[in-house]
Amino acid sequence: MSRKEELRKNRLEKLEKIIKEGTHPYPLSTARTNTIDEALSSFEEIKNSEKEIILAGRLRSFREHGKLTFANIEDESGSIQIFASETFMGRSIYESFLEKFDIGDIVEVRGVLFLTKKEEKSIKAVDIKILSKTLLPLPEKWHGIQDVEDRYRKRYLDLLFNKEIKNNFENRSKILKEIRSFLDTKGFLEVETPSLQPLYGGAGARPFKTRFNALSMDFYLRIAPELYLKRLIVGGFEKVYEMGKCFRNEGIDKSHNPEFTSLEIYWAYANYKQMMSFTEEMLTHILKQVFKKTEIWYEEEKIDFSTPWERVQFSDIIRKETGIDLEEINKEALREEAEKMGIHIEKGADKAKISDEIFKEKCRNKLRQPTFVIHHPEGFQPLAKSLSDGVLASFQLYIAGWEVVNAFSELNDPIEQKKRFKEQEEMLKEGFEEAQRMDEDFITALEHGMPPCVGFGMGVDRLCAILTGSHSLREIILFPAMRKK
């Protein structure tokens, strides 16, 4: 029998004793009167009143000293020492505490606050009850665990032992709250569009496919909410946003997870230049509200969000880092250049897709401070409006080498949009699996008239990873997708 099995057997025996003495080891509720933080914040007042209080939480330590026992109890708000003795608790309660309770158990403690001789704030226990008897011990060596994936598989233990990780997730929640607050105050309406879609679109990605039995139809988990949100712009809404889950059937790495949180914003009668300024305002607002500053440290590098952020042309940075002039090179020659660099190009990819792959490999990681990469080549995004000089009215925001935002003035010409969808379908036939599909219903919506509009898509997980100093998305997603162990 392994050590772990022995400990579990021992705890099961304690559980049986608790049940035999007539105590429920998993009661319905607790009579807790205060959180630990409330007790510590009002310590003198509660202590001087000699009023009994009831705390609840997890036992994190257990130390016997003769006829006294010191323990620590922890809830979400903090930790406090328990002072237990037969004198104050009575023999039966005290002996039960020593014999049947283990580190990790969830308990309720009734007592009065006092200062020990070492002036440590404590609760002098009168009674201790079990709220949840644990059957498995907490690990002894969770810090420094070699298999980092165990931290993701057993996130509950990661949160118990790693306060920094817990704090990161609390900050993630605050970031999402501030995003919504900012957009709401700017007059944007939060909406919800379908996660199950009969036709995927709005981005270049492989979808997850499922079956809708009630309709006898194949459906897809959405790769983006874009085409539905633009239908709302057609319908008369002028400022909408959606923050929610999207799904892309792709690989997992530092900056990709198949299930991720996306923020998409659509703003009628505005353009991509206005959205760049809006993005600066929104992200600096979030930093000030959550972190009280506009500078952060990411992987030992200071990132300064002071505005304005640099704007750089897509073709200029390609030329600077690779020597390639996108205006002078054709698709086949560009593919050859990419292959020389060891960059894999998917079959059927057009010139814009090839240039994007070169950018990702040779340019992206050079963009450390917040930088807008603007004016991508036509074909880069089939839903974006073109400018007169053969580039798109577009921008991407890069921070610490991560693409965080993709935005552009939306194409609202139904004839041109249908032409581009047809070009994408041809790419699909040639083997390019990430091509966008023809969406006739969306074309019909555009034919009813969509005003000039700018669209914005942000990877919320990526933003949170950067702002919390997390080295990968899996550090800031509570339960990331994992391979079976």
Side-chain angles (χ1 to χ4, degrees):
M1 184 182 292
S2 68
R3 172 65 174 161
K4 185 177 180 180
E5 289 171 336
E6 286 180 10
L7 290 171
R8 187 174 188 275
K9 181 175 180 290
N10 178 261
R11 293 192 181 208
L12 280 169
E13 290 170 355
K14 292 181 180 181
L15 177 67
E16 289 177 7
K17 290 178 183 178
I18 291 170
I19 293 171
K20 282 182 180 178
E21 69 183 20
T23 301
H24 198 313
Y26 306 101
L28 180 64
S29 60
T30 173
R32 180 168 77 164
T33 60
N34 303 83
T35 66
I36 291 173
D37 179 65
E38 289 169 349
L40 294 175
S41 299
S42 304
F43 186 84
E44 290 299 326
E45 179 184 343
I46 297 173
K47 179 175 73 72
N48 293 338
S49 70
E50 299 184 352
K51 176 184 175 181
E52 284 188 355
I53 63 170
I54 298 174
L55 305 178
R58 187 183 294 271
L59 277 175
R60 295 304 298 263
S61 66
F62 207 101
R63 310 175 299 282
E64 289 186 59
H65 293 278
K67 295 183 178 181
L68 300 177
T69 297
F70 295 91
N72 274 80
I73 183 178
E74 180 181 271
D75 67 9
E76 185 181 39
S77 70
S79 176
I80 193 170
Q81 179 174 264
I82 299 171
F83 176 88
S85 73
E86 182 179 321
T87 303
F88 297 102
M89 299 172 70
R91 177 177 293 181
S92 62
I93 295 175
Y94 183 66
E95 289 181 349
S96 178
F97 177 53
L98 297 182
E99 294 172 5
K100 303 182 183 71
F101 288 57
D102 292 289
I103 291 174
D105 289 350
I106 312 295
V107 302
E108 176 187 281
V109 183
R110 177 167 61 89
V112 294
L113 297 181
F114 85 116
L115 280 174
T116 64
K117 291 180 180 178
K118 294 183 178 180
E119 296 194 343
E120 182 172 353
K121 293 178 180 179
S122 306
I123 180 168
K124 187 184 295 181
V126 175
D127 191 17
I128 299 181
K129 295 179 179 179
I130 197 84
L131 294 178
S132 180
K133 181 62 189 168
T134 55
L135 302 183
L136 289 174
L138 298 177
E140 295 178 3
K141 296 181 180 179
W142 189 255
H143 287 289
I145 187 168
Q146 295 301 307
D147 186 355
V148 70
E149 290 195 353
D150 274 354
R151 293 182 40 236
Y152 307 143
R153 289 189 176 94
K154 298 180 180 179
R155 182 67 87 183
Y156 46 92
L157 295 178
D158 198 26
L159 295 171
L160 280 176
F161 284 94
N162 195 330
K163 297 302 180 187
E164 182 181 353
I165 290 295
K166 187 169 183 285
N167 185 59
N168 284 348
F169 282 108
E170 289 171 348
N171 281 331
R172 177 193 169 104
S173 180
K174 293 175 184 176
I175 290 167
L176 269 62
K177 179 181 177 181
E178 288 302 329
I179 289 172
R180 285 190 165 97
S181 175
F182 178 84
L183 291 171
D184 292 344
T185 59
K186 294 294 184 179
F188 286 84
L189 178 71
E190 183 173 14
V191 297
E192 292 180 302
T193 61
S195 294
L196 283 174
Q197 301 177 351
L199 187 65
Y200 62 93
R206 298 178 183 90
F208 287 94
K209 187 177 181 179
T210 188
R211 184 72 177 169
F212 203 140
N213 291 334
L215 298 178
S216 298
M217 290 173 60
D218 288 335
F219 270 67
Y220 302 90
L221 294 177
R222 71 179 179 192
I223 59 175
E226 176 169 346
L227 300 186
Y228 284 91
L229 291 170
K230 287 196 282 194
R231 285 171 170 91
L232 297 182
I233 299 296
V234 172
F237 289 105
E238 294 186 6
K239 289 183 172 184
V240 295
Y241 75 94
E242 182 170 11
M243 185 152 52
K245 294 292 186 182
C246 291
F247 309 87
R248 298 181 183 178
N249 202 349
E250 57 192 12
I252 300 172
D253 59 28
K254 174 180 177 178
S255 61
H256 292 86
N257 196 68
E259 178 184 1
F260 62 97
T261 302
S262 169
L263 170 69
E264 293 212 9
I265 303 169
Y266 290 85
W267 182 5
Y269 306 107
N271 62 43
Y272 76 107
K273 292 182 178 179
Q274 289 169 278
M275 184 57 86
M276 277 192 279
S277 298
F278 187 84
T279 302
E280 289 175 326
E281 184 183 358
M282 180 171 67
L283 295 194
T284 53
H285 168 85
I286 291 165
L287 279 159
K288 290 174 183 176
Q289 292 298 117
V290 178
F291 301 98
K292 312 303 179 189
K293 56 187 178 182
T294 57
E295 292 181 348
I296 62 163
W297 286 88
Y298 182 75
E299 296 184 344
E300 300 183 352
E301 182 178 16
K302 185 163 73 171
I303 309 296
D304 186 357
F305 285 83
S306 300
T307 59
W309 302 337
E310 186 179 3
R311 277 101 164 127
V312 57
Q313 299 269 352
F314 181 85
S315 59
D316 288 347
I317 193 169
I318 289 283
R319 187 183 301 109
K320 176 184 176 183
E321 299 298 336
T322 69
I324 296 171
D325 189 333
L326 292 178
E327 295 179 6
E328 300 296 329
I329 194 169
N330 62 33
K331 183 177 78 170
E332 294 310 316
L334 187 62
R335 178 185 287 274
E336 290 177 9
E337 290 296 328
E339 290 172 352
K340 289 177 186 177
M341 299 175 194
I343 301 170
H344 172 71
I345 302 299
E346 194 171 340
K347 187 178 179 181
D350 62 3
K351 182 179 174 181
K353 179 61 178 176
I354 298 169
S355 66
D356 185 39
E357 293 301 320
I358 293 172
F359 173 85
K360 289 175 181 176
E361 184 68 26
K362 298 297 181 180
C363 309
R364 178 172 57 184
N365 198 48
K366 305 288 179 66
L367 303 173
R368 311 306 299 174
Q369 299 302 314
T371 303
F372 290 119
V373 177
I374 64 174
H375 300 161
H376 300 79
E378 286 183 335
F380 188 89
Q381 175 48 266
L383 297 163
K385 185 168 285 189
S386 298
L387 298 175
S388 58
D389 52 356
V391 296
L392 300 177
S394 62
F395 73 85
Q396 291 175 310
L397 173 63
Y398 284 87
I399 306 171
W402 293 49
E403 178 195 335
V404 178
V405 173
N406 184 30
F408 42 82
S409 289
E410 300 290 342
L411 179 60
N412 58 348
D413 177 347
I415 297 173
E416 175 63 19
Q417 185 64 79
K418 189 166 187 173
K419 173 177 170 288
R420 293 193 190 179
F421 277 153
K422 286 181 178 179
E423 291 170 352
Q424 291 285 304
E425 290 287 346
E426 288 301 316
M427 290 170 62
L428 184 67
K429 290 177 183 177
E430 292 177 21
F432 184 58
E433 294 183 25
E434 294 186 4
Q436 299 198 39
R437 305 307 308 275
M438 173 67 74
D439 190 330
E440 294 284 2
D441 183 72
F442 177 65
I443 297 297
T444 299
L446 288 185
E447 288 182 347
H448 286 88
M450 186 176 80
C453 174
V454 62
F456 165 108
M458 181 171 75
V460 173
D461 306 314
R462 291 181 181 181
L463 177 69
C464 292
I466 293 166
L467 297 189
T468 59
S470 302
H471 78 275
S472 80
L473 293 190
R474 293 197 291 181
E475 290 289 346
I476 203 64
I477 296 174
L478 278 169
F479 301 103
M482 302 290 294
R483 193 186 306 277
K484 282 187 177 181
K485 192 171 183 180

